């Protein structure tokens, strides 16, 4: 905690703290700053009024002060200045800009959430960035009227997490956002965002980049390849994003790549360079997506989820020998590769939305398989006899397999089976 002189300098400042209503100050004091913390930190100052002395003046105190009778307004303001975390929400009688102006007088603030949906000005936000230089987390819901994020955000040298959402038109990020050298997490849910600044590549400590609902974003800058600490890249609902830059796979720490981009037609050949990639999730509802041949060089891949109308898996799919989880969905013409038995570590297999009449016998050659889920197979008539060879299988789920009539006797050989679930199946005939 800073010196008492510093506290007094801020508290005695005439505006805006002095004009804040008591209920706001009580909320800050009661919810965010322990009484013992404030009392011990200010032990050299005049003791706050006791409960008994406050009782004598209860007739003149406001209702909000009455709920905290032993805390004077001055001490409430001290607590306000000491606050390290604050969530700004709608408060009757106070505009969002007034609240932001008040928040700018919280010099120790480290975490700020702004989810007030009323219009506030960029000028008020500028004041926050200039007064709250210790911010480490900023969660911001921008009003539609705000089209440009204040460049003074780069004053927040210690900012670790920046989470932003906006439904405004022609919204843009500051070109020098790369000056936030400490930033580790950048989450953008900005529908009209069209460009990411080239300086993005200067965020040397960035570990997570998440783009959610950025429908207007058509390209990722090549400078993303300089983010050597980037572990997570997530693009969800980016409808005009047609391709990924080759430079993305120069990020040597990339572990999770999650894509739900309706118009993405293919993954680049350079994906094979991403030897650190452990999880790959690709959903593409409206068009098929092609996997390059280099895809089979992802030697560290442990989890793969594909829901993208694939017609075939690349040759050498069995080279993904570290794969432990595989999910294939909404790929009606896809057939399982003959190299499937090479996935000796595969523990979870989920297949749904296929048109196959039967599963290949090679499915019984997965020695580590523990969970098998089959759903929405409208043409599936039987299960392969080799399923009885899955001695590690713990769970078998069959859902919406309307043509399935007979189960193989080999199911009785599954000595480790603990869970057998049937959903929306027609009458099964005895084997």
């Amino acid at each position: 905690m800073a010196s008492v002189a510093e506290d007094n300098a801020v508290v005695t400042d005439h505006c805006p703290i002095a004009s804040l209503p008591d209920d706001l100050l009580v909320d800050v004091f009661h919810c965010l700053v322990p009484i013992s913390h404030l009392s011990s930190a200010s032990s050299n100052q005049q003791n706050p009024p006791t409960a008994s002395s406050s009782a004598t003046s209860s007739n003149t105190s406001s209702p909000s002060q009455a709920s905290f009778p032993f805390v004077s307004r001055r001490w409430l303001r001290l607590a306000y200045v000491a606050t390290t975390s604050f969530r700004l929400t709608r408060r009757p009688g106070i505009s969002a800009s007034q609240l932001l102006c008040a928040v700018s007088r919280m010099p120790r603030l480290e975490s700020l959430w702004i989810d007030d949906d009323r219009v506030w000005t960029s000028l008020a936000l500028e004041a926050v960035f200039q007064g709250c230089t210790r911010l480490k987390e900023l969660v911001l819901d921008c009003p539609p009227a705000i089209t440009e994020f204040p460049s003074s955000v780069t004053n927040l040298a210690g900012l670790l997490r920046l989470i932003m959402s906006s439904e405004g038109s022609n919204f843009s990020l500051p070109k020098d956002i790369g000056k936030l050298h400490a930033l580790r997490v950048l989450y953008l849910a900005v529908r009209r965002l069209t460009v990411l600044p080239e300086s993005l590549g200067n965020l040397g400590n960035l570990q997570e980049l998440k783009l959610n609902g950025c429908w207007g974003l058509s390209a990722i800058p090549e400078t993303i390849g300089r983010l050597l600490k980037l572990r997570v890249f997530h693009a969800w609902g980016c409808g005009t994003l047609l391709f990924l830059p080759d430079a993305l796979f120069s990020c040597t720490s990339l572990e999770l790549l999650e894509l739900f981009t309706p118009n993405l037609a293919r993954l680049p050949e350079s994906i094979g360079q991403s030897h650190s990639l452990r999880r790959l999730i690709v959903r593409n509802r409206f068009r098929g997506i092609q996997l390059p041949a280099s895809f089979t060089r992802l030697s560290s891949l442990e989890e793969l989820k594909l829901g993208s109308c694939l017609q075939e898996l690349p040759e050498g799919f069995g080279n993904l020998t570290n794969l432990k989880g595989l999910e294939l969905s909404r790929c009606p013409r896809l057939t399982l590769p003959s190299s499937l038995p090479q996935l000796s570590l595969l523990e979870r297999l989920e297949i749904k939305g296929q048109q196959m009449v039967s599963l290949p016998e090679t499915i019984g050659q997965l020695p580590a398989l523990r969970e098998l889920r089959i759903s929405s197979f409208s043409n599936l008539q039987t299960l392969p006899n080799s399923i009885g060879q899955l001695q590690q299988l713990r769970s078998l789920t069959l859902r919406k397999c309307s043509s399935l009539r007979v189960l193989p006797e080999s199911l009785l050989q599954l000595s480790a089976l603990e869970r057998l679930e049937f959903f929306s199946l027609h009458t099964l005939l005895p084997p």
Side-chain angles (χ1 to χ4, degrees):
M1 200 168 188
S3 65
V4 173
E6 179 185 342
D7 284 339
N8 287 339
V10 180
V11 171
T12 55
D13 204 354
H14 62 280
C15 182
I17 297 176
S19 63
L20 289 176
D22 291 343
D23 63 337
L24 176 60
L25 293 177
V26 169
D27 286 349
V28 174
F29 183 80
H30 191 197
C31 300
L32 305 175
V33 180
I35 299 174
S36 58
H37 182 183
L38 180 63
S39 300
S40 61
S42 305
S43 57
N44 295 330
Q45 294 300 300
Q46 176 183 354
N47 292 328
T50 63
S52 59
S53 63
S54 297
T56 60
S57 58
S58 59
N59 293 334
T60 60
S61 62
S62 67
S64 57
Q65 285 177 316
S67 63
F68 240 125
F70 50 86
V71 179
S72 69
R73 181 174 177 82
R74 178 181 179 278
W75 285 87
L76 288 173
R77 294 203 303 272
L78 278 172
Y80 175 87
V81 172
T83 297
T84 59
S85 178
F86 190 78
R87 182 163 187 163
L88 191 156
T89 57
R90 180 183 293 272
R91 301 188 67 86
I94 307 176
S95 70
S97 291
Q98 286 175 325
L99 275 176
L100 279 178
C101 190
V103 167
S104 69
R105 304 302 181 93
M106 292 180 169
R108 294 188 188 85
L109 199 64
E110 296 182 356
S111 178
L112 176 61
W113 288 48
I114 304 177
D115 54 11
D116 191 328
D117 58 0
R118 296 171 296 172
V119 174
W120 41 262
T121 65
S122 296
L123 186 61
L125 197 59
E126 292 267 6
V128 172
F129 295 158
Q130 293 173 6
C132 304
T133 55
R134 298 187 188 182
L135 271 179
K136 295 181 179 180
E137 179 183 45
L138 177 61
V139 181
L140 187 62
D141 185 7
C142 299
I146 301 296
T147 59
E148 184 175 359
F149 198 67
S151 60
S152 59
V153 69
T154 56
N155 294 337
L156 307 178
L159 192 66
L160 302 178
R161 289 168 52 88
L162 176 57
I163 301 174
M164 294 176 50
S165 62
S166 173
E167 292 291 334
S169 59
N170 300 321
F171 188 91
S172 63
L173 296 174
K175 293 182 179 180
D176 56 352
I177 195 172
K179 292 181 179 180
L180 296 174
H181 299 299
L183 198 66
R184 295 181 183 177
V185 177
L186 178 58
Y187 182 105
L188 301 174
V190 183
R191 181 172 178 81
R192 302 297 182 185
L193 183 68
T194 58
V195 177
L196 290 176
E198 292 289 329
S199 67
L200 183 75
N202 297 332
L203 300 175
N205 287 301
L206 194 67
Q207 298 179 15
E208 297 184 19
L209 176 57
K210 297 186 177 183
L211 308 171
N212 197 339
C214 300
W215 190 265
L217 188 64
S218 59
I220 308 295
E222 289 285 342
T223 55
I224 195 174
R226 301 205 299 262
L227 304 180
L228 300 184
K229 294 184 179 181
L230 189 69
R231 295 186 300 104
V232 176
F233 180 81
H234 167 110
W236 196 266
C238 300
T240 57
L241 187 63
L242 303 180
F243 63 91
L244 296 177
D246 289 330
L248 174 62
F249 302 104
S250 298
C251 300
T252 54
S253 299
L254 189 65
E255 296 180 0
L256 169 60
L257 176 61
E258 186 171 9
L259 305 171
F260 180 32
T261 50
N263 294 302
L264 186 70
R266 61 181 177 85
L267 294 177
E269 191 71 29
S270 57
I271 192 174
Q273 304 172 11
S274 190
H275 300 300
S276 60
L277 194 64
R278 294 174 180 266
R279 299 178 61 203
L280 175 60
I281 302 172
V282 181
R283 314 273 189 197
N284 193 333
R285 182 175 299 176
F286 304 117
R287 61 186 296 180
I289 191 169
Q290 296 180 356
L291 298 179
S294 65
F295 172 81
T296 60
R297 298 203 298 265
L298 297 175
S299 55
S300 298
L301 197 64
E302 296 180 358
E303 182 179 1
L304 175 62
K305 295 183 179 182
L306 299 174
S308 6
C309 298
L310 283 173
Q311 295 191 13
E312 61 179 357
L313 293 171
E315 290 291 334
F317 185 79
N319 294 337
L320 304 176
T321 53
N322 281 315
L323 202 62
K324 296 180 180 179
L326 174 60
E327 178 185 317
L328 303 171
S329 62
R330 296 192 304 276
C331 304
R333 295 182 177 84
L334 183 68
T335 58
L336 295 179
S338 58
S339 59
L340 188 68
Q342 297 179 28
L343 306 178
S344 57
L345 299 181
L346 192 67
E347 298 179 354
R348 302 177 305 279
L349 175 59
E350 181 172 357
I351 316 172
K352 53 186 176 182
Q354 310 296 91
Q355 294 181 355
M356 289 183 287
V357 175
S358 62
L359 295 174
E361 289 289 339
T362 54
I363 203 169
Q365 301 176 30
L366 298 171
L369 197 65
R370 293 173 174 266
E371 181 180 352
L372 176 59
R373 298 174 62 89
I374 302 171
S375 61
S376 300
F377 268 59
S378 58
N379 297 326
L380 185 66
Q381 297 177 6
T382 184
L383 297 178
N385 284 323
S386 64
I387 199 170
Q389 301 173 19
L390 300 174
Q391 294 303 304
Q392 300 298 321
L393 195 66
R394 302 287 195 272
S395 175
L396 174 61
T397 301
L398 302 172
R399 181 192 297 266
K400 295 183 179 179
C401 300
S402 57
S403 298
L404 186 62
R405 292 291 185 271
V406 179
L407 296 179
E409 290 186 6
S410 60
L411 283 180
L412 300 176
Q413 302 173 18
L414 299 175
S415 56
L417 193 65
E418 299 174 352
R419 185 172 184 175
L420 179 61
E421 297 184 352
F422 297 148
F423 296 93
S424 302
L425 299 184
H426 289 184
T427 304
L428 289 173
L429 300 175

